[in-house]
Amino acid sequence: MEAVSLSSSFGSAASAYARHRPDYAQAAARWALKLAPGSRVLDLGAGTGKLSATLVALGVDVVAVEPDPAMIAELGRTLPTIRALPGSAESIPLADASVDAVLAGNALHWFDMAIAGPEIARVLRSGGILAGLWNVLDDRVDWVAALEEASGSAAIGPRDTLSSWRAATADLLGPSNEVALRFGAPEQAEFPHGQRRSADSLVATLATRAGLLVMPELDRTATLDRIRHFLAGRAETAEGDFTLPMLTGVLRARRL
């Protein structure tokens, strides 16, 4: 499966994405913005506005840019006061040096950084921050590690767990990347998070992962049935609501 087909798959599940995907830990967003020279923030690849909502709660001035019309329509319904624009990381519809930070929630890995790196640097003010945030499962917890094994990589991949997200994302702003010419050394940190789920809603959440959205229908159904069977067989998840153990990981770099 090519990255372009994966990254363009979310619009088909925009309403489910808005309903089931988690928000981001406020402490993670604060850390991402800690070194920013001001409070004007671009949520790039904003999707349905999960990260935008966290940023609004922190009181910063948010503008959202998202390429998928269905996703940006959902963002407009849930966050009608935010300025939301069609566009992409490779073609940002903002003026030069117009934002203090560019944040991307579960999106930075989709960007073509050879093009997006200079474009992000263009819209950032001197000393501005570029940060990617990922919600990752805490696989130090036994049942979460078992869920990863039962689900398969299409549902829970290397960027989706605490044990592997750092290695899976480090090179996105690494020395071999176009970003390195314009940004300082990247930093990584994790912040506790969690999401109240039921077995059904967790299955619905995993169903919005790109790898599952592009699966043949029979394979997708079989994978979701396998996850549902696993959850039904665990004491932690079989009955009622539970907290899904998570963290928000942040990869941060400062514009030179």
Side-chain angles (χ1 to χ4, degrees):
M1 291 178 290
E2 295 184 356
V4 64
S5 64
L6 289 168
S7 63
S8 62
S9 65
F10 296 113
S12 64
S15 61
Y17 194 104
R19 188 180 316 116
H20 296 296
R21 282 292 184 107
D23 60 3
Y24 295 83
Q26 287 192 7
R30 286 193 195 96
W31 186 81
L33 297 173
K34 185 176 180 180
L35 303 177
S39 60
R40 178 70 165 162
V41 181
L42 166 60
D43 181 2
L44 187 57
T48 63
K50 294 294 183 175
L51 179 56
S52 289
T54 300
L55 295 170
V56 168
L58 294 179
V60 300
D61 181 14
V62 183
V63 58
V65 169
E66 163 59 38
D68 191 288
M71 300 290 271
I72 206 168
E74 286 291 338
L75 189 155
R77 279 190 278 273
T78 57
L79 297 168
T81 62
I82 285 184
R83 183 185 178 206
L85 304 172
S88 68
E90 297 77 20
S91 182
I92 302 172
L94 297 177
D96 295 359
S98 58
V99 297
D100 300 293
V102 175
L103 270 57
N106 278 77
L108 191 66
H109 53 278
W110 298 122
F111 301 166
D112 179 354
M113 293 306 292
I115 302 171
E119 183 69 348
I120 291 168
R122 178 186 67 79
V123 302
L124 273 174
R125 298 188 177 104
S126 179
I129 294 297
L130 167 60
L133 290 80
W134 289 267
N135 280 318
V136 299
L137 301 180
D138 189 349
D139 56 356
R140 296 172 298 185
V141 178
D142 288 346
W143 76 262
V144 175
L147 171 66
E148 177 187 6
E149 183 176 353
S151 299
S153 60
I156 301 177
R159 288 182 300 271
D160 299 325
T161 61
L162 176 62
S163 63
S164 58
W165 89 270
R166 284 192 174 218
T169 60
D171 287 346
L172 293 175
L173 304 182
S176 63
N177 198 289
E178 185 72 20
V179 175
L181 302 176
R182 296 168 172 83
F183 290 83
E187 305 170 272
Q188 291 173 305
E190 299 97 8
F191 300 85
H193 198 26
Q195 186 185 34
R196 292 297 290 174
R197 299 279 77 184
S198 65
D200 286 342
S201 64
L202 180 51
V203 170
T205 300
L206 294 174
T208 66
R209 298 294 177 90
L212 286 176
L213 290 174
V214 299
M215 262 189 184
E217 187 59 34
L218 287 177
D219 293 340
R220 183 172 186 269
T221 298
T223 299
L224 294 175
D225 285 346
R226 186 172 69 248
I227 296 170
R228 194 175 287 108
H229 178 75
F230 168 84
L231 295 172
R234 294 290 305 209
E236 301 93 339
T237 57
E239 298 290 340
D241 291 347
F242 53 88
T243 297
L244 178 64
M246 297 165 52
L247 301 97
T248 298
V250 186
L251 175 68
R252 178 182 75 179
R254 192 173 189 180
R255 193 188 191 290
L256 298 174

